[in-house]
Amino acid sequence: MAGTDFPDDLRAAQTRLHQATSELAALARSLPWSVEPAAGWPGITHPHTGDVTGARDASPGWTQEQKEAVKRLRLECADLSVRITAHSYWLTLEGEARVKARSELKAATRRSATSAVDVAAA
C-alpha cells in the first residue's frame, strides 16, 4: 500500500494533528506541575546516602493564558481526530487495508509535520 494517494484535506488534517499534539506536549512540559496554586512538600532523606527524593516545590498554578492555550490545543486535537476518523476516504477501504492505510497516513504525515518551536504562540 506504499504510496497511497490520500485526499489533500485528510493529509492536511493529519499533519496538523501531529503539529498540534507536539505543540500541546511542549506547552505541557513548560507549565507548572499544578493547574491551581499548590503547596509543595519536603522529600524523604535516605538514611544511608543523605539524598533527598520525592520533594516538590510549590506550584504557582497556571495563568489564564496558559489554561486557554491548553484548552484550545486539546479542542483542536479532538476536532482533528474526529475529522480524520470520520473522513469519507476510509469508507473506500475495508478491514486490514483500512488499518494499514491509517498507519501509512500517520507515518507519511509525521515526516512532513514540523515540530513545535514557539510555545508562547500556542
Side-chain angles (χ1 to χ4, degrees), residues 22-33 62 70 73-74 119:
S22 177
E23 290 169 17
L24 180 57
L27 177 59
R29 284 189 299 271
S30 74
L31 295 173
W33 62 268
W62 297 359
V70 168
L73 285 167
R74 285 181 178 163
V119 175

Side-chain angles (χ1 to χ4, degrees), residues 37-93:
W41 53 84
I44 298 171
T45 304
H46 191 279
H48 301 293
T49 64
D51 292 341
V52 178
T53 59
R56 176 75 56 130
D57 291 334
S59 171
W62 297 359
T63 65
Q64 190 59 36
E65 293 79 20
Q66 291 169 326
K67 290 176 186 178
E68 289 170 6
V70 168
K71 182 179 180 180
R72 181 183 56 78
L73 285 167
R74 285 181 178 163
L75 288 172
E76 183 180 10
C77 288
D79 176 62
L80 287 164
S81 295
V82 169
R83 194 178 326 160
I84 292 163
T85 57
H87 196 281
S88 60
Y89 172 76
W90 304 118
L91 297 175
T92 66
L93 303 169

Side-chain angles (χ1 to χ4, degrees), residues 88-107:
S88 60
Y89 172 76
W90 304 118
L91 297 175
T92 66
L93 303 169
E94 291 185 19
E96 193 173 324
R98 186 179 298 165
V99 174
K100 286 180 181 180
R102 182 73 182 104
S103 294
E104 186 180 329
L105 175 65
K106 287 179 182 182

